[in-house]
Amino acid sequence: MLDLLQNLGRRGLGVFERLGRASLLLVQILSGLHTLLPRPRLVIQQVFSVGVLSLVIIVVSGTFVGMVLGLQGYNTLVDFGAEESLGVVVALSLVRELGPVVTALLFAGRAGSALTAEIGLMKATEQLSALEMMAVDPVRRVLAPRFIAGFISMPLLAAIFSAVGVLGGYFVGVGLLGVDEGAYWSQMQDKVDLYDDVYNGVIKSLAFGWVATWIAVFEGHDAVPTSEGVSRATTRTVVYTSLAVLGLDFVLTALMFGD
Amino acid sequence: MQQQDNDEPLVTIRDLTFRRDGRVIFDGVDLDIRRGRVTAIMGPSGTGKTTLLRLVGGQLRPERGSIRFEGEEITRAGRGRLYELRKRMGMLFQNGALLTDMNVYDNVAFPLREHTDLPEAMIRDLVLMKLEAVGLRGARRLMPSQLSGGMARRVALARAIALDPDMILYDEPFTGQDPISMGVLVRLIRTLNESLGLTSVLVSHDIAEAASISDYIYLLAGGRVVAQGTADELYESDSQWAQQFLKGLPDGPVPFHYPAPDYAGDLLAGGEGREAAA
Ligand SMILES: Nc1ncnc2c1ncn2[C@@H]1O[C@H](COP(=O)(O)OP(=O)(O)OP(=O)(O)O)[C@@H](O)[C@H]1O
Ligand SMILES: [Mg+2]
């Protein structure tokens, strides 16, 4: 019993210690950001590898999610004779929830894990050490551009996901099930509010981008510098990011739409 | 020789004590690195030679003692100051530690691009010069993954001298080199030292090579300096440490084995296997 408590206590302390280190790293990253201003290429390169390479998976997943929404939405709405509102249902589900959340989950699997593995391997092969000895701060040169790139890419990817999803819903609803085309678009235009829905969706994906890249970059930087350590860190990135995104989504949703 | 000895050393290490996971790695080490000389640091595997280089580079902080670079205390230098000092040190890592996301050319150009505003044309000239010196000018388009271990280490050497530092720390530069590139490297280290007025610290197991180019040798074992002197002095000294190490004898004060229980008893006990089977 005592052992159990002791163990629990130790684990609890461990969690706080890691949180502390992660916060410290975040402060270091943020305080080094100004050094990136004269060198936008560093960030652009990372936006390419983080963002552009995730594009295919985002587009494909977005299409399918939109198609499923169109199908499910139609089946429910048609009972009430409200299938004209299909456009609103698809768009709101995507912009408010599925766009930011599913994008963040896919991002964790595609880009977050790659970031962690890359940084962890750079640590294991002493590349980070070598940078330090060349008087180049690895936090500023390696971590900061990746962090910013993730933060920028996430809302863009989420927007693409939602746009593609709306088209997927259109294809199923209008193309296959015969919903009126004009109604699909005009109802969507009427009912989707720029401020309430779109801005809040963007805020969500910014928050998710922040958390997802923070976790990915920290886990890589904190990895035990062996192949096993890096593989564990990569797994942790995906697990922690998924949990953090889903938890944060509830909190943000409650704050934005809860009253 | 006589007059150079009066110069203040570039690096002075006094009473250095360092521990890792509770294990004592250094226990009161005193060591001087003289300007313009090649100082060799030798010792059995795992004595802490790499650790010593990292302490000098300020990547690790000692528990006690002082490390001075031109009279400036490295162990207490702040981050910014440490980075300034490191621009004047080049370090060759044991495994090269090249940046794997850029090719050989960009790796050597990296410190120049980070720390100078030189035009790209001049960077190109400098990079090609450094690569020529290590015999790899023709390999400049290769990625690090396409290099052999020995080639990677030579590229890393070109990178370490890119900024023309005052001091270079070589961690085992000769491992993985064939006799030809070994000979070239040995001469290169000596030439660099003379022509650029460098100060070199050489960690190496290759006794003949290291002895042939170093002005002074420190022999580390068990966390202490157990012998020191020029190569000739060490060969002739009656220090058992020096004799055992230089001649590669298994018996002597340096244990070949990591501490372990009695061999015969250990064989008969057979603990691990049985535990695993049970
Ligand atoms: N990151 C670390 N954590 C804990 N102990 C370490 C770490 N790195 C090295 N050590 C220990 O410190 C000691 C010295 O290591 P170091 O790498 O300096 O040896 P070395 O003299 O360079 O050996 P070699 O000649 O094999 O390169 C070793 O016994 C090693 O077990
Ligand atoms: Mg070593």
Side-chain angles (χ1 to χ4, degrees):
Chain A
M1 188 63 206
L2 252 161
D3 269 6
L4 195 82
L5 276 178
Q6 211 175 26
N7 234 321
L8 218 66
R10 196 173 314 126
R11 290 207 158 204
L13 279 181
V15 169
F16 281 110
E17 198 205 324
R18 276 173 66 80
L19 259 176
R21 262 182 297 157
S23 311
L24 219 61
L25 184 72
L26 186 63
V27 171
Q28 277 179 22
I29 290 177
L30 296 179
S31 69
L33 283 185
H34 61 274
T35 54
L36 289 177
L37 279 178
R39 311 176 65 185
R41 266 199 53 187
L42 287 181
V43 178
I44 295 171
Q45 259 174 14
Q46 292 308 320
V47 170
F48 178 79
S49 69
V50 167
V52 178
L53 298 180
S54 310
L55 210 56
V56 174
I57 188 175
I58 293 291
V59 167
V60 173
S61 319
T63 313
F64 282 123
V65 169
M67 286 164 66
V68 169
L69 279 175
L71 201 58
Q72 295 278 23
Y74 180 84
N75 284 340
T76 314
L77 290 171
V78 81
D79 289 346
F80 306 99
E83 67 270 21
E84 313 272 274
S85 309
L86 183 64
V88 185
V89 170
V90 170
L92 282 187
S93 321
L94 282 169
V95 171
R96 284 184 174 185
E97 277 304 323
L98 293 174
V101 172
V102 178
T103 303
L105 296 179
L106 292 173
F107 182 91
R110 173 65 181 79
S113 58
L115 276 179
T116 303
E118 187 188 12
I119 295 170
L121 280 174
M122 285 182 84
K123 184 179 181 187
T125 53
E126 296 196 304
Q127 293 181 54
L128 298 187
S129 252
L131 285 175
E132 272 182 25
M133 278 308 293
M134 286 189 277
V136 174
D137 185 349
V139 172
R140 291 182 179 184
R141 182 62 175 69
V142 176
L143 304 197
R146 285 166 172 76
F147 179 77
I148 288 302
F151 184 60
I152 297 175
S153 310
M154 187 73 89
L156 299 177
L157 290 173
I160 293 171
F161 184 95
S162 296
V164 173
V166 167
L167 290 179
Y170 171 84
F171 173 70
V172 170
V174 178
L176 300 182
L177 300 172
V179 174
D180 181 57
E181 176 169 2
Y184 187 87
W185 293 118
S186 67
Q187 290 233 8
M188 194 187 298
Q189 267 176 0
D190 269 4
K191 296 277 166 51
V192 178
D193 186 74
L194 180 68
Y195 177 78
D196 260 353
D197 302 318
V198 179
Y199 284 179
N200 278 335
V202 171
I203 290 175
K204 270 189 184 177
S205 59
L206 281 173
F208 296 162
W210 179 278
V211 170
T213 24
W214 179 22
I215 292 177
V217 163
F218 170 70
E219 288 294 348
H221 188 70
D222 204 54
V224 179
T226 59
S227 19
E228 197 204 359
V230 174
S231 100
R232 276 170 192 247
T234 312
T235 310
R236 274 203 304 268
T237 293
V238 176
V239 173
Y240 291 169
T241 307
S242 307
L243 293 178
V245 162
L246 294 172
L248 195 61
D249 182 48
F250 174 73
V251 174
L252 288 177
T253 308
L255 288 177
M256 289 168 175
F257 307 103
D259 46 19
Chain B
M1 194 86 181
Q2 207 63 43
Q3 148 235 12
Q4 270 180 333
D5 275 346
N6 298 334
D7 284 354
E8 191 205 340
L10 185 63
V11 179
T12 30
I13 298 176
R14 289 290 171 273
D15 190 28
L16 180 71
T17 302
F18 182 73
R19 232 182 268 259
R20 219 156 193 177
D21 303 337
R23 253 184 68 220
V24 179
I25 308 285
F26 295 118
D27 183 16
V29 166
D30 294 338
L31 201 144
D32 285 341
I33 292 163
R34 300 203 158 270
R35 271 173 220 279
R37 307 289 188 75
V38 180
T39 305
I41 296 177
M42 297 188 189
S45 187
T47 18
K49 302 179 297 293
T50 302
T51 308
L52 185 68
L53 297 188
R54 283 182 189 278
L55 283 161
V56 171
Q59 284 196 317
L60 298 170
R61 304 251 166 185
E63 197 172 294
R64 202 180 66 224
S66 92
I67 303 175
R68 285 170 189 278
F69 182 82
E70 285 201 319
E72 188 170 345
E73 187 62 56
I74 285 183
T75 53
R76 278 196 294 274
R79 230 179 129 63
R81 187 65 201 142
L82 212 50
Y83 273 70
E84 282 307 309
L85 290 175
R86 281 182 192 156
K87 285 184 196 165
R88 301 174 50 198
M89 306 177 186
M91 173 136 166
L92 180 67
F93 280 76
Q94 207 161 351
N95 56 14
L98 296 175
L99 301 171
T100 43
D101 58 348
M102 39 179 101
N103 66 18
V104 165
Y105 180 93
D106 290 329
N107 259 290
V108 180
F110 184 84
L112 295 166
R113 289 184 178 144
E114 290 290 321
H115 293 308
T116 69
D117 294 322
L118 295 176
E120 206 48 38
M122 192 179 288
I123 288 185
R124 185 184 139 88
D125 290 348
L126 285 170
V127 170
L128 293 188
M129 264 168 57
K130 309 291 177 192
L131 281 175
E132 176 73 16
V134 297
L136 289 175
R137 189 165 47 84
R140 62 178 181 271
R141 297 273 158 253
L142 296 183
M143 295 302 284
S145 57
Q146 297 169 302
L147 302 175
S148 73
M151 284 162 82
R153 208 164 290 117
R154 280 191 279 158
V155 174
L157 175 56
R159 181 178 69 178
I161 55 177
L163 279 179
D164 290 329
D166 297 343
M167 174 170 80
I168 301 201
L169 310 168
Y170 300 95
D171 199 352
E172 316 253 4
F174 304 131
T175 20
Q177 302 297 341
D178 61 81
I180 302 171
S181 50
M182 170 100 106
V184 173
L185 266 185
V186 169
R187 254 171 287 135
L188 181 64
I189 291 176
R190 190 72 228 183
T191 330
L192 281 173
N193 204 71
E194 245 119 67
S195 60
L196 300 178
L198 280 174
T199 301
S200 311
V201 180
L202 175 65
V203 166
S204 177
H205 290 306
D206 297 276
I207 295 167
E209 283 75 19
S212 72
I213 53 167
S214 36
D215 300 296
Y216 204 81
I217 298 174
Y218 285 95
L219 195 55
L220 292 179
R224 298 174 164 278
V225 174
V226 290
Q228 55 177 295
T230 62
D232 294 339
E233 283 169 15
L234 283 190
Y235 275 116
E236 273 152 36
S237 84
D238 45 10
S239 152
Q240 286 181 6
W241 299 93
Q243 289 306 321
Q244 189 201 348
F245 196 75
L246 295 178
K247 293 183 182 148
L249 306 173
D251 292 315
V254 184
F256 165 66
H257 293 283
Y258 198 86
D262 173 62
Y263 189 33
D266 215 3
L267 283 176
L268 290 174
E272 285 95 0
R274 228 172 277 161
E275 275 158 31

